[in-house]
Amino acid sequence: MPTERTSAGDPARTLHLLWRGSSPERRRGPRRALSVDTVVETALAIADAEGLDALTMRQVAKELGVVPMTLYTYVPGKAELLDLMLDAAYARMPRTDTGGRPWRDRVRAVADENRALFERHPWAATVSTARPPLGPGQMAKYEHELRALDGLGLNDVQMDACLTHLLTFVQACARAAADARAAQDDSAMNDQQWWDVNAPLLARVLDPDTYPTAVRVGAAAGAAHGSAYDPDHAYTFGLRCVLSAFAALIDEAGRGAPAS
C-alpha cells in the first residue's frame, strides 16, 4: 500500500498555495529570502534523487541553508508540500498535440506521457491520488487527457472511468518496474543472473509432472523475456489490452447500448 497520499493536509491552506499564481499574497515587511517555488523545487530534487523516505522538512531546510522553522512560513508541512510537488510535476509534463489523430493514438500518447512522468519522478508512482490535489497542474492535465476520449460517443462518466482505468494501469506498471529495479539493485544481479544461480534449486522443486502448465509457460516466458518479468513487455501488452477494451466500449456506445 502507498505510504503517502495527496490531499492529506489542510485543504484551505493547500488550495491557497496551489493556486497562489491566481491569487498573489500581499505581505507587509521586508522581502523574504525564499519563495514557495524554491521550496518546492528543492523538495522535488530530493525526492527525485533519494525517494520520498528521504524527504523531510528538515532535509529541505538543510538544502536551502535555513533552519527548519523557516520553511513553515512558506509551507505548513510535508503533506501540503507533497501536493505542491505533484502539481508542479503535472504542470511541466509535455503534452502531445494529437488533434485530428485516431483515438488510439491519442490515448496511447496519454499513457506514454504518464509513463514518462513516473520515469522522471519515480516517487510519484508510490503516491495515492484517490483525492487528487486540485491545483492548476492537475486540472490542466485532466483537461488535456479527457480530450483524448472526447467525441467518441462515451458519456461523461464513461470518459472519466476510462481515463482512471488507463492511469491506474500506467501507475501499476511504473510501480512494478520500480520493484524490478530495486530487486536487481538489492541482489546485485540482473534477472538472468539470478535465474542462472538458482536454476539447480528450482529444477529440484519444480516437478514438470506436478506443474506441467506452469513449468511450460514459465519456461517459454522466461526464454522470451530473459526474465520472469519484463517491464517494457508488460506495458506494451497491457496497453494493447486496455485499448481493445476501450474499443469494445466505444463500439457499444455507437450501437446505443446502455451505459454501465
Side-chain angles (χ1 to χ4, degrees):
M1 294 294 290
T3 57
E4 301 284 356
R5 63 182 177 86
T6 54
S7 299
D10 182 304
R13 299 185 72 179
T14 300
L15 284 172
H16 175 77
L17 287 168
L18 285 168
W19 291 92
R20 61 194 180 280
S22 302
S23 179
E25 183 179 0
R26 298 185 180 275
R27 288 179 174 269
R28 296 181 179 179
R31 182 182 180 85
R32 300 199 295 174
L34 300 177
S35 68
V36 173
D37 288 337
T38 302
V39 173
V40 172
E41 290 300 319
T42 302
L44 279 170
I46 294 171
D48 289 347
E50 304 177 53
L52 285 182
D53 287 344
L55 179 67
T56 63
M57 297 294 278
R58 181 176 296 277
Q59 184 61 30
V60 175
K62 180 180 178 181
E63 292 292 327
L64 289 170
V66 298
V67 298
M69 287 305 298
T70 301
L71 290 189
Y72 293 99
T73 65
Y74 297 88
V75 179
K78 184 178 176 181
E80 293 83 1
L81 179 58
L82 181 62
D83 285 355
L84 293 169
M85 292 165 56
L86 200 55
D87 199 68
Y90 289 161
R92 65 189 60 173
M93 285 177 68
R95 310 199 198 282
T96 308
D97 182 4
T98 56
R101 290 167 58 180
W103 71 264
R104 286 176 182 267
D105 288 353
R106 301 200 303 268
V107 173
R108 189 177 290 108
V110 169
D112 289 347
E113 290 163 0
N114 279 274
R115 191 186 190 201
L117 168 74
F118 294 133
E119 288 174 350
R120 286 191 298 272
H121 308 290
W123 55 269
T126 69
V127 177
S128 170
T129 56
R131 292 181 178 177
L134 298 179
Q138 166 70 38
M139 295 310 299
K141 179 178 185 289
Y142 188 50
E143 176 71 21
H144 165 74
E145 292 170 347
L146 284 174
R147 289 177 182 172
L149 296 161
D150 202 13
L152 302 179
L154 302 175
N155 64 38
D156 289 350
V157 174
Q158 289 173 322
M159 286 172 57
D160 180 78
C162 283
L163 180 58
T164 299
H165 181 67
L166 176 70
L167 299 185
T168 300
F169 158 74
V170 177
Q171 187 173 23
C173 283
R175 289 178 181 173
D179 289 343
R181 289 192 298 270
Q184 181 170 317
D185 292 342
D186 291 344
S187 65
M189 292 185 288
N190 62 33
D191 280 355
Q192 187 60 58
Q193 292 168 329
W194 188 90
W195 285 105
D196 289 344
V197 169
N198 291 281
L201 173 61
L202 295 173
R204 290 198 298 270
V205 298
L206 296 182
D207 180 5
D209 292 330
T210 305
Y211 311 105
T213 309
V215 170
R216 187 190 79 242
V217 173
H225 307 313
S227 67
Y229 179 74
D230 179 352
D232 289 335
H233 176 267
Y235 175 77
T236 302
F237 178 82
L239 182 56
R240 189 167 76 236
C241 292
V242 171
L243 293 173
S244 294
F246 286 4
L249 189 62
I250 292 167
D251 183 59
E252 288 180 3
R255 290 186 281 106
S260 58

